[in-house]
Amino acid sequence: MITLEEVFPPFALKVSCGPVILRVLRDDDLPELVELVRGGIDAPGLPMPFLRSWHEEPFAPGAPDGFPATSLPWWWTQRATCAPEEWRLALAVRRDGILVGMQDLHSRGFAQTRTVLTGSWLGRDHQGRGTGTLMRRLVVGLAFDELGAQRCESGYIVGNHASAAVSRKAGYLDSGRRRVVQDTRNGPVTVDEQRVAVTPDTFVRQGGAVAVEGAEVLRRFLGIER
């Protein structure tokens, strides 16, 4: 019988270094992911990291208007957006086998731009251990070495020193600021977002052995030629 990885090649992708493994999010991961979100994401004293406070919605399993149902379309949309013209890789991050966060990789018109966007978050209990820097370096290395990207872009809300530190340690440089609107529990607020970008010349690689599986079938599926 045909395997799930043959049906959807991104499932074959595996990036690992030491205790940390990145793989495309599967439905079997969702219960653990929901519990991770319930444990908290925001770090005390830092601004909300997202443009919408999806992680603070009332926990109402089985109801259509509460968490996690309100987040399922986003997680499934990332998996459904997987074609050469535009693709998203929602990578579940595990450390020592435990789901600790998410690392996203997104591109539109990659064949023309060779540019990807990165975004990530960790559960509160798993922050401050170096995992954020490691997972960012792993996904940037994947983009440069396996997909042939020439530029990786990201951003963080000004004042989020933890996110700024992760970007700096991975070799990102400031590339301008913009005003954005955050949809919070208390209504819309306007904040500054710092944009950052990293290229192969500025990228700070992770020490230690990095293993990548499934890159060739992923490139074929996304129509990427190196």
Side-chain angles (χ1 to χ4, degrees), residues 5-223:
E5 289 76 13
E6 290 173 307
V7 172
F8 188 64
F11 281 147
L13 180 65
K14 179 181 178 182
V15 185
S16 59
C17 180
V20 174
I21 296 175
L22 278 61
R23 305 196 72 165
V24 170
L25 182 72
R26 302 184 182 217
D27 285 351
D28 287 347
D29 297 318
L30 292 178
E32 195 174 356
L33 180 61
V34 168
E35 292 302 320
L36 181 65
V37 174
R38 290 187 68 200
I41 297 175
D42 294 353
L46 296 182
M48 184 183 76
F50 308 116
L51 294 182
R52 183 175 70 85
S53 56
W54 60 272
H55 57 306
E56 297 177 336
E57 294 180 354
F59 182 59
D65 55 354
F67 181 80
T70 49
S71 289
L72 289 175
W74 170 246
W75 291 328
W76 285 332
T77 295
Q78 293 192 85
R79 189 163 59 202
T81 306
C82 213
E85 298 77 18
E86 181 179 7
W87 46 264
R88 294 180 181 271
L89 298 176
L91 301 170
V93 180
R94 292 185 177 274
R95 181 167 186 143
D96 295 320
I98 299 172
L99 186 62
V100 298
M102 293 293 299
Q103 174 69 65
D104 300 336
L105 193 64
H106 170 223
S107 185
R108 178 180 295 169
F110 182 78
Q112 292 75 37
T113 67
R114 292 289 165 170
T115 297
V116 298
L117 306 177
T118 61
S120 59
W121 59 265
L122 282 170
R124 185 184 301 139
D125 292 341
H126 306 283
Q127 297 171 11
R129 301 175 57 192
T131 306
T133 300
L134 174 53
M135 61 199 244
R136 182 83 69 86
R137 285 172 170 168
L138 291 180
V139 81
V140 172
L142 170 72
F144 288 153
D145 300 340
E146 303 295 342
L147 304 183
Q150 298 173 357
R151 180 181 175 91
C152 296
E153 299 179 351
S154 190
Y156 58 86
I157 303 303
V158 172
N160 191 332
H161 308 301
S163 183
V166 167
S167 296
R168 183 175 62 253
K169 291 175 182 177
Y172 286 74
L173 303 177
D174 292 350
S175 59
R177 289 189 179 186
R178 65 177 184 176
R179 297 288 280 171
V180 297
V181 176
Q182 283 186 315
D183 183 9
T184 74
R185 288 184 298 176
N186 299 319
V189 298
T190 304
V191 296
D192 289 326
E193 181 188 48
Q194 177 67 55
R195 301 300 301 171
V196 292
V198 60
T199 64
D201 290 338
T202 65
F203 179 40
V204 179
R205 293 184 175 274
Q206 181 63 34
V210 176
V212 179
E213 301 175 15
E216 183 177 355
V217 294
L218 178 65
R219 288 193 298 270
R220 188 183 312 123
F221 188 67
L222 299 179

